[in-house]
Amino acid sequence: MPVKAGEMSPTRSVPEDIERPPYIANGGDPIRRGDPIVKSSDVVAAMRVAGVAAGEVLDLVGAAIAPGITTDELDAVAHAAYIERGGYPSPLGYRGFPKSVCTSVNEVICHGIPDDRPMREGEIVNVDVTIFLNGVHGDTNATFAVGSLDPRSAALMRVTRECLFRGIDAVRPGAEVRAIGRAIQQHAEANDFGVVRTFCGHAIGPEFHGALSIPHYDEPRATTRLEPGMTFTIEPMITMGTWRERIWSDGWTAVTADGQRTAQYEHTMVVTDDGVEVLTPSLALPTTLEASSAR
Ligand code: MF3
Ligand code: CO
Ligand code: CO
């Protein structure tokens, strides 16, 4: 049964004393401030703290997932968890997004809006958390099973996690951005899955979405060379069927064009002198493939 839009709850509020990201004072429109792609060690240190907080929020939401729970209830759990950590829910008001996390069920690729739809046994749901804390964003997501899954959905989740870590393994100084997507696409297609093209990883820091784009497929134009101090996300969206998407009339919800399921996992990271440091550790999505397993 295709996912359908439900009813949204009223807008959640954030205490006045919590610092807002700059786009909030600009009607949700991100101001292109041209942040450098290579961050100072102070910014990276702040991102370490924001990244841990984002992972904690993701785990609190993950622990609440069960048959019968609505995606709005997950949004409420996340919203409280951001505030407890002194952070602002970056999605809330970003380009008009109405909620504090994205919840993307079954064939929803990304940017699903939490509503009153209860999750059912055997479904999969991606929860995408971004916190603004100490002047920087931490962005992470994971796909969760609702109860027990059919084998193909379980394989989709496993391969998607493997794709994320193959992408992370390609990150080192001197490598081209292209190497990340090449590694991801090879592994997805070797498993007869597709790679979404429209949505990419991105530079991140004081800006939610910085100027560098990280394709998850082999993109010959992605020739930027990685340097220590660059901070960005890798967040592959892997599909059972077509990689093409449609966008609902809400302007946000992206679904697979053929209605087949899709999964996603996301980490925020920094390029180091000899490789990469993952900044968004969590139980749902540890920093290595070995430590990760389906939930
Ligand atoms: N967190 C998403 C990402 O990974 C972006 C969500 S934008 C929102 O880049 F407005 F939908 F929150
Ligand atoms: Co992201
Ligand atoms: Co995200």
Side-chain angles (χ1 to χ4, degrees):
M1 273 238 299
V3 175
K4 286 188 303 221
E7 288 290 316
M8 247 195 315
S9 66
T11 304
R12 297 194 157 87
S13 62
V14 178
E16 287 302 326
D17 58 328
I18 287 184
E19 189 195 344
R20 269 72 173 151
Y23 49 81
I24 295 302
N26 196 41
D29 194 1
I31 309 147
R32 281 275 165 229
R33 307 181 319 160
D35 282 352
I37 303 297
V38 176
K39 306 301 196 287
S40 70
S41 57
D42 285 358
V43 166
V44 173
M47 290 182 69
R48 236 173 239 122
V49 176
V52 167
E56 290 172 352
V57 175
L58 184 65
D59 281 337
L60 286 165
V61 178
I65 292 173
I69 304 293
T70 69
T71 51
D72 185 65
E73 289 174 292
L74 300 182
D75 185 76
V77 169
H79 188 83
Y82 289 113
I83 290 169
E84 278 163 20
R85 285 159 182 76
Y88 183 90
S90 309
L92 183 63
Y94 180 74
R95 295 182 183 272
F97 192 82
K99 291 289 165 189
S100 299
V101 283
C102 302
T103 51
S104 302
V105 175
N106 297 345
E107 73 270 22
V108 180
I109 295 169
C110 62
H111 302 164
I113 300 173
D115 63 19
D116 66 352
R117 181 189 183 283
M119 291 176 300
R120 302 180 191 97
E121 175 87 22
E123 293 190 323
I124 59 174
V125 58
N126 178 278
V127 180
D128 192 340
V129 165
T130 314
I131 192 168
F132 184 72
L133 185 63
N134 297 328
V136 296
H137 297 272
D139 190 4
T140 184
N141 75 49
T143 301
F144 298 88
V146 183
S148 61
L149 283 190
D150 68 279
R152 192 161 156 76
S153 295
L156 175 71
M157 287 174 52
R158 175 179 53 78
V159 170
T160 305
R161 263 195 321 276
E162 290 166 357
C163 283
L164 169 60
F165 285 106
R166 289 203 180 208
I168 291 172
D169 283 346
V171 176
R172 65 182 72 89
E176 285 185 346
V177 166
R178 178 180 182 179
I180 298 168
R182 186 193 295 127
I184 291 169
Q185 184 175 9
Q186 269 175 8
H187 189 61
E189 292 182 355
N191 285 277
D192 290 319
F193 292 134
V195 179
V196 171
R197 308 284 201 268
T198 302
F199 305 101
C200 296
H202 50 90
I204 184 169
E207 283 182 334
F208 191 170
H209 294 107
L212 180 66
S213 177
I214 312 288
H216 302 114
Y217 58 94
D218 186 17
E219 169 53 75
R221 291 168 294 184
T223 56
T224 302
R225 286 203 186 269
L226 300 177
E227 290 174 48
M230 286 183 174
T231 54
F232 53 82
T233 72
I234 303 178
E235 49 184 295
M237 287 142 272
I238 304 300
T239 60
M240 283 186 176
T242 183
W243 52 265
R244 293 183 188 276
E245 83 279 355
R246 290 193 219 297
I247 309 290
W248 283 4
S249 59
D250 62 16
W252 281 105
T253 310
V255 295
T256 56
D258 62 6
Q260 295 200 69
R261 288 184 175 192
T262 169
Q264 181 181 23
Y265 294 85
E266 174 177 28
H267 267 315
T268 295
M269 66 206 72
V270 58
V271 182
T272 60
D273 290 334
D274 56 2
V276 62
E277 177 187 348
V278 172
L279 300 175
T280 41
S282 65
L283 296 173
L285 190 62
T287 58
T288 64
L289 178 62
E290 295 66 44
S292 308
S293 65
R295 307 201 11 172

